[in-house]
Amino acid sequence: MPEGERAVLELVVIDQLTVTEAAMALGIRSGTAKVRLHRARRTLRGLPFVMEGTPG
């Protein structure tokens, strides 16, 4: 995942900032932050997650 997308995702998900606050923290426009967040979430949805040690 590109650095810009990861940075917005971390600020919104981990640090609990709004997209606008994340944009201000990164010095980018709010619209740019929204696009980056969307792309980051889309990337995460496409990743296969493997759960080790689960009964099945």
Side-chain angles (χ1 to χ4, degrees), residues 11-50:
L11 289 172
V12 171
V13 174
I14 297 171
D15 296 332
Q16 300 286 305
L17 298 182
T18 65
V19 176
T20 302
E21 291 169 337
M24 288 175 34
L26 295 170
I28 60 176
R29 294 181 182 182
S30 182
T32 302
K34 288 178 185 178
V35 169
R36 289 181 184 180
L37 181 60
H38 171 74
R39 289 177 179 166
R41 286 177 171 162
R42 184 179 60 200
T43 298
L44 289 178
R45 277 195 300 269
L47 293 177
F49 288 97
V50 177

Side-chain angles (χ1 to χ4, degrees), residues 50-56:
V50 177
M51 301 293 284
E52 293 184 26
T54 57

